[in-house]
Amino acid sequence: MSTFSFRVTHTDGAARRGVLTTAHGVVETPAFMPVGTQGAVKGVTHRDLESLGAEILLSNTYHLYLRPGDDLIARRGGLHRFIGWSRPILTDSGGYQVFSLAARRTIDESGAHFRSHLDGSAHLLTPEKATDIQSQLGSDVAMVLDECMAYPAERDVARTSMERTLRWARRARDRFLTLQGASGSARSSAADGVLVTNPCQAQFGIVQGSIFPELREESARRTVDIGFEAYAIGGLSVGEPIDVMHEIVGRTARCLPPDRPRYLMGTGTPDDLIEAVARGVDMFDCVLPTRNARNGQLFTSEGRINIKNAQYAEDDRPPDPACDCYTCRNFSRSYLRHLFLAGEMNAATLNTLHNLSFYLDTLRRIREAIAFGQFESFRVEYVRRRQ
Ligand SMILES: [Zn+2]
């Protein structure tokens, strides 16, 4: 039934280049997924994203579940049709937002009890419920509900949490298989009233275990035993030292099947992406390029710049002379600073276009370097230019 597949086309050290195939098209990896929280990437249109070469979007289950609701989206034929995006979509489980946004949340074995940050209404997000919502949304990749732990955590606490995440993963997989089995060949059909708007949906498991290598290795092994289409590394970029993150990413990636994509959740800076690719990661998402753009921070080939700084008041250069995005081809730092200080909506749009272009172009160059067996020299040169 599933048309989901992944093929590694080139390797260079631990870095891999590959092609992810979904019912809504292919994604070249390593890939960066812009974050479209409410079914839109803030400040830019889908047309912009397509012209930037974005091949896959991430959307947030928590937000869409609360508003406008997954039932309403399912009745519109699923998320792709509702938001008018025909390329692949990955949805998160909603867990991270429950842990970070929702009010009065409590976690027990059943799931996460919380109150909506919008209207205070009470909800229970279980592993089954998170699977059902994503089935109704019809994303190409659904994520299991995992327990997001704060950093730092004691080893015993991390183990207890990891064990719960494994039990939740089993429940989420069972529910996913039931829904997919019930969907048959029809475009959509009901199982307990849940619509399967994308019968080709894949489900990724998530490895947890905080910063403890032996817990990460055990979590990876037992998550793979449950059996998912692919695997994500969760619970990093939560305040741990950068070298610890790199170490855990490397050790976890080595424990995951080489023929399945590996997704590092919620990370990070361009440097983090390069370091993670060097350790065998294939997929990324992060709010940094879009959120920072709205705050006036631009990623460039020579490091970050804050466009609001006075030093750019009469700077006629583009944000990044090495970039050929729409913003850099047409506008100066001086103008972008003016737009930002004036609170003009175009400031968010133009800054976001540049930052996303920078990220997507960095990934494009990474893929090229891997294909030519030059990833290591690319990595060294990248770091050198920014010092
Ligand atoms: Zn640019």
Side-chain angles (χ1 to χ4, degrees), residues 21 46 51 55 65 68 81 84 88 140 147 174 183 196-197 217 234 238 250 252 304-305 328 376:
T21 303
H46 296 344
S51 66
E55 293 185 318
Y65 160 70
R81 278 176 66 179
D140 298 282
E147 183 171 350
D174 288 346
S183 74
V196 178
T197 58
E217 285 165 15
V238 290
T252 307
R304 300 184 208 186
I305 66 174
C328 290
E376 189 53 34

Side-chain angles (χ1 to χ4, degrees), residues 17 45 80 85 149 163 268 361:
R17 179 173 177 168
T45 65
H80 290 86
W85 172 261
M149 231 184 4
E163 298 275 0
D361 188 56

Side-chain angles (χ1 to χ4, degrees), residues 299 318-329 350 353-355 357-358:
F299 291 90
D320 185 351
C323 177
D324 73 343
C325 80
Y326 172 72
T327 303
C328 290
R329 274 188 283 112
L350 295 174
L353 283 176
H354 166 75
N355 275 357
S357 177
F358 183 79

Side-chain angles (χ1 to χ4, degrees), residues 182-196:
S183 74
S185 57
R187 187 184 61 80
S188 64
S189 64
D192 302 342
V194 176
L195 293 174
V196 178

Side-chain angles (χ1 to χ4, degrees), residues 116-248:
S116 162
H117 72 290
L118 297 173
D119 62 6
S121 55
H123 300 268
L124 170 60
L125 186 67
T126 64
E128 293 82 4
K129 179 73 177 173
T131 307
D132 289 353
I133 297 168
Q134 293 177 86
S135 171
Q136 298 222 94
L137 296 177
S139 52
D140 298 282
V141 175
M143 302 301 301
V144 298
L145 180 67
D146 60 336
E147 183 171 350
C148 307
M149 231 184 4
Y151 174 85
E154 297 294 326
R155 185 182 303 260
D156 289 354
V157 176
R159 165 164 286 284
T160 302
S161 172
M162 180 201 83
E163 298 275 0
R164 174 174 282 162
T165 287
L166 284 164
R167 290 191 298 274
W168 283 5
R170 176 76 264 169
R171 286 166 55 189
R173 189 60 178 173
D174 288 346
R175 181 63 182 170
F176 176 83
L177 294 175
T178 299
L179 289 170
Q180 292 285 309
S183 74
S185 57
R187 187 184 61 80
S188 64
S189 64
D192 302 342
V194 176
L195 293 174
V196 178
T197 58
N198 179 1
C200 299
Q201 188 178 60
Q203 186 186 44
F204 286 14
I206 303 176
V207 176
Q208 288 285 353
S210 188
I211 57 163
F212 304 103
E214 71 284 3
L215 292 186
R216 287 279 169 181
E217 285 165 15
E218 181 179 341
S219 174
R221 189 178 72 250
R222 292 172 63 186
T223 306
V224 171
D225 282 347
I226 295 171
F228 293 92
E229 278 73 33
Y231 302 90
I233 303 170
L236 291 175
S237 289
V238 290
E240 74 282 3
I242 201 84
D243 55 328
V244 170
M245 181 182 86
H246 293 159
E247 164 75 9
I248 293 294

